[in-house]
């Protein structure tokens, strides 16, 4: 399934990681252990807070796992750029929207004592004016990033800023990344960074105890190698429902997604980065899907073993043949399937929730 484009992207990522490793060693010495970047203790004061939340746009993931969990801590003032279109339309309006965001922040901070500003922004969405404005604020500003495995730098935009977080990370009090390989990149570029494991929101991704209707359910966009796996299952008489952008069944609403996950005997996941099927990373779905009480099955990679006992909490596959074999097995063995589903549910509920994750971050910042 690998294409020349996939291989080129992987080689470029390997080269980028190597260069940053060498730059880090020349500047700081030995590469630190991951434990240096993990917030292990929860020191949050449990006080009610006032939070400004700035986002380029809110996907279902960020609404459920960022915006709604932040509301559990107090009052959240939200500014969304609605930045969902291509460069030709975005860059002519970028500075204007950034000025609107600056005025929004000024207004809120004039009316309220803000405890923290939480951002889902990047070099593509932030202007030079906003970055300079951030340096004048006497309040902690954190920025979260997903997919830094391949997008820490990204291409250079029309205003000279890399579209990833390379050029903007030094302007934040703290950067949070889900990518282990990106940690030293932040430091090399002058940013302070901590590792933020993925987590799910049990108030949204919940077990409804509905009758199982579908053998396999996948919710997500249709791209890369995903259609090859799903078509292979269908060709072998597996009842698969795939919903999302570009699938024939259309897009699932957030509410429908939760219902479909509950009605699935198996929830299918993919771990590839973009179109690549040979660069695997953790996904938000790894921690959301088990909370709905169905067996979760995703592509194998070593990092999963740091969070789950494979074959006990969740299940994995390495290729389409193994996927089909395991799907057939678990469809024929209800007791085994439901036991793993229950283990995964309990593991995520006890250890990997969005609220607990934010408590650690806020406590780390002295809040």
């Amino acid at each position: 399934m690998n294409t020349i484009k996939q291989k080129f992207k992987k080689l470029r990522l390997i080269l980028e990681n190597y260069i940053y490793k060498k730059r880090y060693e020349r500047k700081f010495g030995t590469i630190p252990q991951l434990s240096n970047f993990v917030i292990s203790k929860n020191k949050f004061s449990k006080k009610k807070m006032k939070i400004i939340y700035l986002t380029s746009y809110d996907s279902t993931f960020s609404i459920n796992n960022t915006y709604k969990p932040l509301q559990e801590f107090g009052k959240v003032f939200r500014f969304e750029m609605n930045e969902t279109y291509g460069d030709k339309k975005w860059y002519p309006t970028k500075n204007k929207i950034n000025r609107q965001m600056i005025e929004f922040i000024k207004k809120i901070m004039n009316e309220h004592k803000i405890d923290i500003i939480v951002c889902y922004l990047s070099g593509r969405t932030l202007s030079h004016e906003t970055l300079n404005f951030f340096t004048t604020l006497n309040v902690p500003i954190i920025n979260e990033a997903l997919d830094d495995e391949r997008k820490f730098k990204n291409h250079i935009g029309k205003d000279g800023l890399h579209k990833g977080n390379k050029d903007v990370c030094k302007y934040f009090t703290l950067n949070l990344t889900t990518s282990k390989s990106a940690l030293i990149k932040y430091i090399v570029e002058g940013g302070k960074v901590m590792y933020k494991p993925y987590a799910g929101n049990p108030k949204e991704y919940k077990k409804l105890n509905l009758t199982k209707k579908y053998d396999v359910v996948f919710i997500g966009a249709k791209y890369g190698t995903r259609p090859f796996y799903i078509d292979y299952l269908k060709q072998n008489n597996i009842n698969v429902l795939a919903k999302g952008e570009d699938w024939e069944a259309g897009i699932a609403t957030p509410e429908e997604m939760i219902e479909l996950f509950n009605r699935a005997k198996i929830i299918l996941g993919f771990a590839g980065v973009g179109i690549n099927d040979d660069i695997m990373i953790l996904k938000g779905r790894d921690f959301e899907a088990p909370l709905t009480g169905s067996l979760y099955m995703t592509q194998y990679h070593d990092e999963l073993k740091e969070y789950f006992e494979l074959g006990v909490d969740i299940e994995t596959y390495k290729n389409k043949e193994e996927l089909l074999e395991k799907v057939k097995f678990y469809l024929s063995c209800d007791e085994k399937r439901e036991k793993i589903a229950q283990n995964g549910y309990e593991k995520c509920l006890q250890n990997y929730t969005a609220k607990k994750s934010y408590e650690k971050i806020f406590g780390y910042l002295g809040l």
Side-chain angles (χ1 to χ4, degrees), residues 13 22 34 38 69 140-141 168 182 222 260 263 279 284-285 297:
L13 175 61
K22 292 301 180 183
L34 174 65
V38 175
I141 309 174
V168 303
K222 181 181 181 181
L260 290 174
R263 291 197 180 280
I279 304 173
R285 191 71 84 226
M297 189 180 300

Side-chain angles (χ1 to χ4, degrees), residues 218 220-223 226-227 230-231 242-250:
F218 171 72
K222 181 181 181 181
Y223 65 81
R226 294 173 175 185
I230 289 174
D231 288 346
K243 297 203 73 172
E245 186 177 352
D246 293 331
W247 292 106
E248 291 182 4

Side-chain angles (χ1 to χ4, degrees), residues 56-57 81-91 94-95 98 121-127 153-159 161-168:
S56 56
Y57 74 97
M81 288 182 168
N82 288 315
E83 173 271 322
T84 57
Y85 35 81
D87 289 356
K88 289 184 179 179
K89 291 185 177 180
W90 170 245
Y91 278 96
K94 177 178 179 177
N95 288 334
N98 270 261
L121 301 171
S122 66
R124 183 174 193 268
T125 51
L126 286 163
S127 69
K153 290 175 62 177
N154 214 327
H155 303 294
I156 297 177
K158 295 181 180 181
D159 55 0
L161 291 172
H162 281 84
K163 295 179 182 180
N165 288 304
K166 173 186 179 294
D167 298 327
V168 303

Side-chain angles (χ1 to χ4, degrees), residues 37-204:
F37 300 100
V38 175
I39 304 171
S40 57
K41 294 183 179 179
N42 187 341
K43 297 181 180 180
F44 179 55
S45 65
K46 297 185 180 180
K47 71 174 185 175
K48 286 292 182 181
M49 301 199 303
K50 291 183 179 179
I51 302 167
I52 291 177
Y53 172 50
L54 310 174
T55 178
S56 56
Y57 74 97
D58 263 334
S59 63
T60 300
F61 175 84
S62 58
I63 290 171
N64 287 342
N65 297 312
T66 299
Y67 182 48
K68 290 183 178 179
L70 288 178
Q71 290 177 310
E72 297 184 50
F73 292 93
K75 179 69 174 177
V76 179
F77 304 92
R78 173 173 167 269
F79 184 93
E80 181 181 8
M81 288 182 168
N82 288 315
E83 173 271 322
T84 57
Y85 35 81
D87 289 356
K88 289 184 179 179
K89 291 185 177 180
W90 170 245
Y91 278 96
T93 62
K94 177 178 179 177
N95 288 334
K96 177 183 176 181
I97 295 174
N98 270 261
R99 291 189 191 104
Q100 292 172 354
M101 185 169 70
I102 290 172
E103 292 305 312
F104 171 85
I105 297 170
K106 287 179 177 178
K107 181 178 184 297
I108 297 301
M109 294 188 72
N110 282 335
E111 297 173 355
H112 303 274
K113 187 179 185 306
I114 297 300
D115 294 284
I116 191 167
I117 299 175
V118 178
C119 308
Y120 258 116
L121 301 171
S122 66
R124 183 174 193 268
T125 51
L126 286 163
S127 69
H128 292 280
E129 183 180 1
T130 300
L131 292 169
N132 291 328
F133 172 68
F134 281 168
T135 65
T136 70
L137 300 179
N138 189 27
V139 61
I141 309 174
I142 63 176
N143 191 49
E144 301 195 41
L146 305 175
D147 218 358
D148 273 342
E149 187 70 25
R150 66 187 177 105
K151 289 185 177 180
F152 177 75
K153 290 175 62 177
N154 214 327
H155 303 294
I156 297 177
K158 295 181 180 181
D159 55 0
L161 291 172
H162 281 84
K163 295 179 182 180
N165 288 304
K166 173 186 179 294
D167 298 327
V168 303
C169 62
K170 62 186 177 184
Y171 291 91
F172 297 101
T173 309
L174 182 66
N175 296 274
L176 300 167
T177 180
T178 58
S179 171
K180 294 177 181 178
S181 69
L183 291 166
I184 62 171
K185 299 178 185 180
Y186 279 93
I187 297 174
V188 168
E189 299 297 347
K192 183 173 177 57
V193 64
M194 295 299 284
Y195 178 66
K196 181 178 183 281
Y198 277 107
N201 183 356
K203 292 191 175 183
E204 298 298 323

Side-chain angles (χ1 to χ4, degrees), residues 265-301:
K265 295 177 182 178
I266 298 170
I267 300 172
L268 180 62
F270 293 95
V273 176
I275 66 169
N276 286 69
D277 197 32
D278 52 1
I279 304 173
M280 305 292 183
I281 62 172
L282 288 172
K283 301 280 189 173
R285 191 71 84 226
D286 301 339
F287 304 92
E288 297 167 343
L291 286 169
T292 62
S294 296
L295 185 149
Y296 180 62
M297 189 180 300
T298 191
Q299 288 170 303
Y300 173 85
H301 60 96

